[in-house]
Amino acid sequence: DNSTVNPRTDTNIRISRTISAVFAPISYTLSYTKTTGLGSIVGASNQSINHGFNGTEVTAIPSVGYHFVKWDDEVLTASRQDNNVKNNKSPTAIFEINVYTVTYENDGNGSITTGANQSVEHGKSAAAVTATPNAGYEFDAWVVSGVKDTTNNSNSRTDSNITSDLRVKATFKLIINPAWNPSFATPTSTVGGYTVQISNYQNGYQVAVSVS
């Protein structure tokens, strides 16, 4: 009889009546959200589900440079399906920016002054570093992921727009001393009537001389 009163009392009864109570299932809302700009929800982000029924699957997809962490109700998988629904739910997907490791090494003949190991967020720049040679050496080149960097001949560098882990090595070379310039050019020479024998003759830099 379209009455929505519950409970009800029927009064002034004058005829027989058959009255049936009609029940409707309780409906719940599943609302899946995320932080704007950090990712998206694939699937029906707003669902109306009857009591005890199952929702449909949704997946949290991170934006470039971010990664999925968890839902704020502690569901750890990016894809989820809420089953046997008995209450409203509003889970939020949590994303975090990617952080990469930038490592600066040397070949053993020098050092990196500061910032040899850095953690850098996606798209950001690493802090500037400087390669300092040991005594008797000079800076030669940077080697990035096994390939010599021909675009930067300076012993200082700043790597920008980091989008993955990065490993850079500073290489150094021995200084050739131009001041040491003997009048003889071969390992064994005769000078002033003496035989001069040069041992350990290495690029005009380190020599041992014996006279006989």
Side-chain angles (χ1 to χ4, degrees), residues 140-193:
D140 182 27
W142 296 101
V143 177
V144 181
S145 300
V147 179
K148 183 177 181 179
D149 183 0
T150 59
T151 64
N152 181 9
N153 297 320
S154 169
N155 68 323
S156 296
R157 69 180 292 126
T158 301
D159 290 287
S160 58
N161 191 29
I162 302 298
T163 57
S164 63
D165 291 340
L166 182 66
R167 185 174 294 272
V168 182
K169 177 182 283 188
T171 59
F172 304 90
K173 60 184 177 180
L174 192 67
I175 296 174
I176 305 303
N177 189 348
W180 192 85
N181 185 22
S183 59
F184 38 82
T186 59
T188 302
S189 300
T190 299
V191 180

Side-chain angles (χ1 to χ4, degrees), residues 3-10:
S3 173
T4 59
V5 177
N6 182 33
R8 65 180 284 167
T9 301
D10 291 283

Side-chain angles (χ1 to χ4, degrees), residues 30-106:
L30 302 180
S31 179
Y32 301 96
T33 61
K34 85 300 184 197
T35 302
T36 302
L38 304 187
S40 60
I41 305 296
V42 174
S45 58
N46 291 288
Q47 303 178 29
S48 181
I49 308 297
N50 287 341
H51 179 89
F53 281 71
N54 300 336
T56 58
E57 185 178 79
V58 295
T59 303
I61 305 296
S63 299
V64 174
Y66 290 82
H67 61 276
F68 171 80
V69 178
K70 64 179 181 178
W71 297 89
D72 66 354
D73 60 356
E74 301 305 319
V75 173
L76 302 180
T77 56
S79 295
R80 65 181 290 165
Q81 181 177 4
D82 289 283
N83 298 325
N84 191 24
V85 176
K86 295 180 179 179
N87 54 273
N88 296 321
K89 291 185 178 182
S90 299
T92 298
I94 299 174
F95 304 99
E96 289 182 357
I97 194 167
N98 295 342
V99 178
Y100 307 109
T101 299
V102 179
T103 304
Y104 295 96
E105 305 171 321
N106 67 85

Side-chain angles (χ1 to χ4, degrees), residues 8-27:
R8 65 180 284 167
T9 301
D10 291 283
T11 61
N12 193 26
I13 304 300
R14 296 183 180 183
I15 59 173
S16 298
R17 302 181 68 184
T18 301
I19 301 172
S20 297
V22 178
F23 299 94
I26 298 173
S27 182

